[in-house]
Amino acid sequence: MRLFLVRHGESEWNAQRLLQGQADVGLSERGRDQARALSATVQRFQPERVLVSDLARTRETAELLGYAEHEPVPALREINVGRWTGQNIDDLMTENAQAFQGWRSGIYTPPGGESWQTFKQRTNGVVAGLRSGALERALMVAHGGVIRALLEGLLGLSPGRVVPVSPASLTVLRLGPLNGSAEARLEAFNYRPDALAFDAPD
């Protein structure tokens, strides 16, 4: 099975560098343009199923990609960052750098937030369900954290070794059957039709 992973376009909080977690924040106008720019690329792959986080920014991204008909999946929501929700990323990096870097590496949980291990289990569980069927192509429109959690669960890439996922970018994984011997392979990461980005907001 080939799994196409798209992060939502830039949100209003991404534009302000605010950490959003599960806050239901909509896309910025730039984010809408980013999603439209990726639509032709994604549509060429003709996914058989389209699974989408049930938050507004991912659902709108799916619609702009050309998939108004999609399956909302709460388990694909971004990690819950607890009391850090709405906090400025630059302020967190300055005032609480060790904790922030620990969170980015999956070893620190913000107060009231969700642990990385719990998050990884719920997101990878969605993929396990897909692999148990006979799908050839599936599209997931989700969040940067979700994509990094899948990269760890499927490829063993720890979150601290993966740069933030760019808004409206495409990552592609090739997966064997759930109980098969074939390992997962990374076929593309952070692809955008306009330009590469290495400093995307979380």
Side-chain angles (χ1 to χ4, degrees):
M1 181 185 75
R2 188 165 275 122
L3 181 61
F4 302 94
L5 303 169
V6 172
R7 184 188 178 187
H8 60 80
E10 180 191 76
S11 72
E12 294 286 357
W13 279 19
N14 288 151
Q16 301 173 60
R17 292 189 61 77
L18 302 179
L19 201 59
Q20 50 201 350
Q22 296 186 359
D24 206 4
V25 182
L27 295 180
S28 66
E29 195 53 49
R30 181 184 181 194
R32 295 184 184 98
D33 289 341
Q34 291 169 337
R36 292 185 190 103
L38 187 62
S39 63
T41 299
V42 173
Q43 288 182 36
R44 278 198 293 271
F45 297 118
Q46 299 181 320
E48 299 160 83
R49 287 183 66 183
V50 180
L51 282 67
V52 179
S53 160
D54 64 344
L55 297 181
R57 57 190 182 270
T58 45
R59 299 193 69 172
E60 185 177 4
T61 298
E63 292 171 4
L64 292 168
L65 290 173
Y67 300 99
E69 298 294 325
H70 54 257
E71 304 172 44
V73 181
L76 290 177
R77 286 186 180 187
E78 182 59 282
I79 192 169
N80 185 344
V81 295
R83 296 181 196 168
W84 283 8
T85 303
Q87 296 295 307
N88 183 276
I89 293 171
D90 296 322
D91 290 346
L92 283 171
M93 291 175 66
T94 300
E95 300 167 7
N96 212 351
Q98 186 173 359
F100 185 82
Q101 291 303 322
W103 172 74
R104 283 288 284 114
S105 298
I107 59 175
Y108 176 81
T109 303
E114 180 180 20
S115 74
W116 180 261
Q117 290 304 314
T118 299
F119 174 58
K120 184 173 70 171
Q121 288 172 3
R122 73 166 163 87
T123 53
N124 279 267
V126 178
V127 176
L130 291 176
R131 294 177 78 181
S132 64
L135 278 179
E136 293 187 9
R137 299 173 304 281
L139 169 65
M140 283 186 180
V141 184
H143 308 270
V146 171
I147 295 170
R148 291 190 299 117
L150 295 179
L151 290 177
E152 181 175 29
L154 297 167
L155 298 173
L157 286 172
S158 64
R161 297 179 60 199
V162 180
V163 298
V165 181
S166 297
S169 66
L170 175 66
T171 293
V172 185
L173 295 171
R174 183 72 175 178
L175 309 177
L178 185 59
N179 297 316
S181 59
E183 295 183 352
R185 299 180 65 184
L186 181 64
E187 295 187 321
F189 175 68
N190 251 2
Y191 169 80
R192 286 176 50 177
D194 52 354
L196 292 174
F198 302 106
D199 58 350
D202 280 300

